[in-house]
Amino acid sequence: GRSRRREYWMFILFTFLISIILTIIEMIFGWEITEDIGVLTTLFSLIMLIPSLSVTVRRLHDTGKSGWWILISLIPLIGGIIILIFTLMDSEPGSNKYGPYPKKAVCIIKIFSRLGWSFFLKPFFRKFVLLISGTLYLEVRNFGEESNIEETFLSFYW
């Protein structure tokens, strides 16, 4: 799959903020293994290892690079700079071998508002969509400025 810049950097921001909060909690309660290593931040880092690798590989896929490029981060300093540059690059336009162009996806709420289905804009429905969004993916094809809602093809993936 592919991950847009926004998705990647929001994930990085989320993990950074949680790490800061956990560090503050460790300092307040003295839950440190050593002076620089805390119990909660260590557990959080271990839990977030696979998701972090996954979102980085998907970000590399979005720029048209193989996920194996993540191994370059093992080179001290230079590898991290190269990965940073890759994650800052814009998406490869159009579909590539890793998946469809993620910027073409349209929010389901935007579609419902264009159709005039106001019920689906209610807060309960938004929470329900967010709840099931981990299982149900909505892909919108042929939707843009040049097309109208009647030409839109919706496909659901489970």
Side-chain angles (χ1 to χ4, degrees):
R2 296 171 67 170
S3 176
R4 292 179 59 189
R5 270 188 296 196
R6 181 177 181 173
E7 178 187 347
Y8 176 79
W9 288 108
M10 292 305 272
F11 177 83
I12 297 298
L13 177 65
F14 166 76
T15 54
F16 177 74
L17 292 176
I18 296 295
S19 294
I20 295 294
I21 291 168
L22 291 176
T23 302
I24 291 170
I25 291 171
E26 290 169 345
M27 289 171 41
I28 290 172
F29 293 108
W31 294 342
E32 297 170 333
I33 298 170
T34 66
E35 189 175 315
D36 295 336
I37 301 172
V39 174
L40 298 177
T41 52
T42 302
L43 287 174
F44 181 70
S45 297
L46 289 173
I47 290 169
M48 296 306 292
L49 179 65
I50 300 294
S52 298
L53 292 173
S54 174
V55 76
T56 305
V57 167
R58 289 189 358 248
R59 181 70 199 121
L60 290 169
H61 285 173
D62 192 45
T63 61
K65 309 265 184 295
S66 169
W68 289 106
W69 274 97
I70 199 167
L71 296 177
I72 202 166
S73 63
L74 296 175
I75 301 171
L77 190 63
I78 295 169
I81 293 170
I82 292 171
I83 291 293
L84 176 66
I85 291 169
F86 286 164
T87 58
L88 291 173
M89 291 172 58
D90 198 11
S91 301
E92 187 176 83
S95 294
N96 66 17
K97 64 182 179 179
Y98 304 108
Y101 190 46
K103 287 187 179 179
K104 294 248 179 185
V106 178
C107 179
I108 190 170
I109 304 231
K110 203 179 229 184
I111 293 169
F112 288 142
S113 68
R114 286 192 74 184
L115 289 173
W117 297 349
S118 61
F119 167 76
F120 294 109
L121 298 176
K122 304 256 186 239
F124 169 77
F125 181 74
R126 276 187 252 168
K127 288 178 185 172
F128 178 72
V129 168
L130 291 174
L131 178 68
I132 65 169
S133 64
T135 312
L136 174 69
Y137 294 92
L138 172 69
E139 184 179 331
V140 180
R141 299 176 193 250
N142 300 327
F143 190 82
E145 277 45 304
E146 67 281 348
S147 64
N148 61 33
I149 198 71
E150 289 80 25
E151 297 169 356
T152 302
F153 173 72
L154 300 177
S155 59
F156 293 92
Y157 296 95
W158 292 96

